[in-house]
Amino acid sequence: MGYVTVSTKVKRELLEKARRYNVNVSQVLRRALEEEVRRRELEWAVSVMDDISRRAKLEKPSDEVIREFRESRGRVA
């Protein structure tokens, strides 16, 4: 998988503090972006499940169905 360069602006004071504490800024920004994308993917998946639930007229909300599915996978392993 290839990488691309992305730039952003941060306050100088914040970058200086990060350097003072030996923060790997690139790693922190990369991780934060990954987590945000993952969070939005989950939101999208839940909204699709909600739509399917409404159309299928399921008895339980989609987040409850997902939770039960995850719990059942944990028991099988």
Side-chain angles (χ1 to χ4, degrees), residues 24-76:
N24 183 331
V25 174
S26 295
Q27 182 181 30
V28 170
L29 294 175
R30 192 171 23 257
R31 192 177 320 127
L33 183 57
E34 289 170 352
E35 289 173 6
E36 181 66 18
V37 168
R38 189 175 307 113
R39 185 182 68 77
R40 294 202 184 192
E41 286 175 333
L42 288 172
E43 286 177 357
W44 173 81
V46 168
S47 71
V48 168
M49 290 292 295
D50 283 340
D51 187 46
I52 292 169
S53 295
R54 276 192 300 279
R55 290 178 187 205
K57 297 180 182 160
L58 297 179
E59 297 175 7
K60 298 178 186 177
S62 59
D63 58 340
E64 188 175 329
V65 172
I66 293 169
R67 188 177 312 107
E68 288 176 359
F69 175 75
R70 286 180 178 162
E71 289 172 356
S72 70
R73 281 190 318 183
R75 281 184 242 136
V76 173

